[in-house]
């Protein structure tokens, strides 16, 4: 799911928008291939940073891409799942936060069904 949010500088109202506007927050949750391509083509970044954040095996780290002045932060968020017998199982899942120049902030996450 792709959602784009922005705060109007004049009214200070936080709202969902339908365009890639400088200063906006792009939130990707379980993104489709088409959504990944749409984001990368519109804001001119490599798909690798988004795909890295979608890998359950990804470890917490910081990475910088000099070519497009993009910084990726991956953090492992704790989650609780139910085991076969209803017991609580503890695990982690990655959350990607991408700063694209001074133009965009992107969050990338998976939601387990």
């Amino acid at each position: 799911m792709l959602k784009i949010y922005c705060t109007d500088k004049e009214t200070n109202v936080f709202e969902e928008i339908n365009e890639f506007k400088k200063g906006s927050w792009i939130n990707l949750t379980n993104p489709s291939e088409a959504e990944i391509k749409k984001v990368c083509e519109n804001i001119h970044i490599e798909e690798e940073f988004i795909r890295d954040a979608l890998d359950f095996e990804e470890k917490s780290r910081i990475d910088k891409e000099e070519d497009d002045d993009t910084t990726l932060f991956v953090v492992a968020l704790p989650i609780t799942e139910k085991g076969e017998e209803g017991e609580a199982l503890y695990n982690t899942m990655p959350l990607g936060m991408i700063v694209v120049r001074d133009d965009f902030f992107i969050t990338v996450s998976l939601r387990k069904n």
Side-chain angles (χ1 to χ4, degrees):
M1 175 178 14
L2 166 63
K3 300 251 183 186
I4 307 169
Y5 303 96
C6 194
T7 301
D8 186 290
K9 291 181 182 179
E10 293 178 16
T11 63
N12 206 31
V13 173
F14 180 74
E15 61 188 350
E16 186 175 346
I17 60 175
N18 295 317
E19 62 183 314
F20 294 94
K21 182 177 175 184
K22 185 175 179 173
S24 60
W25 165 32
I26 301 165
N27 184 36
L28 292 164
T29 305
N30 292 338
S32 67
E33 286 296 316
E35 290 169 333
I36 293 171
K37 290 188 182 310
K38 181 178 181 178
V39 170
C40 293
E41 289 172 2
N42 278 279
I43 64 174
H44 310 292
I45 64 168
E46 297 295 322
E47 292 181 18
E48 178 182 332
F49 273 7
I50 292 175
R51 294 191 192 288
D52 285 354
L54 296 171
D55 180 359
F56 259 100
E57 300 298 319
E58 192 69 35
K59 302 294 182 205
S60 296
R61 66 185 175 94
I62 300 173
D63 195 359
K64 177 122 175 111
E65 180 61 53
E66 299 294 334
D67 293 341
D68 56 13
D69 195 20
T70 303
T71 305
L72 167 68
F73 301 85
V74 177
V75 296
L77 297 178
I79 60 171
T80 305
E81 302 173 308
K82 287 188 179 182
E84 291 178 13
E85 298 178 17
E87 73 277 14
L89 300 175
Y90 300 96
N91 204 346
T92 61
M93 66 182 273
L95 170 66
M97 296 171 283
I98 305 168
V99 178
V100 183
R101 300 169 292 279
D102 287 334
D103 300 339
F104 300 96
F105 179 70
I106 304 171
T107 51
V108 183
S109 63
L110 290 167
R111 181 178 300 142
K112 283 188 116 176
N113 297 331

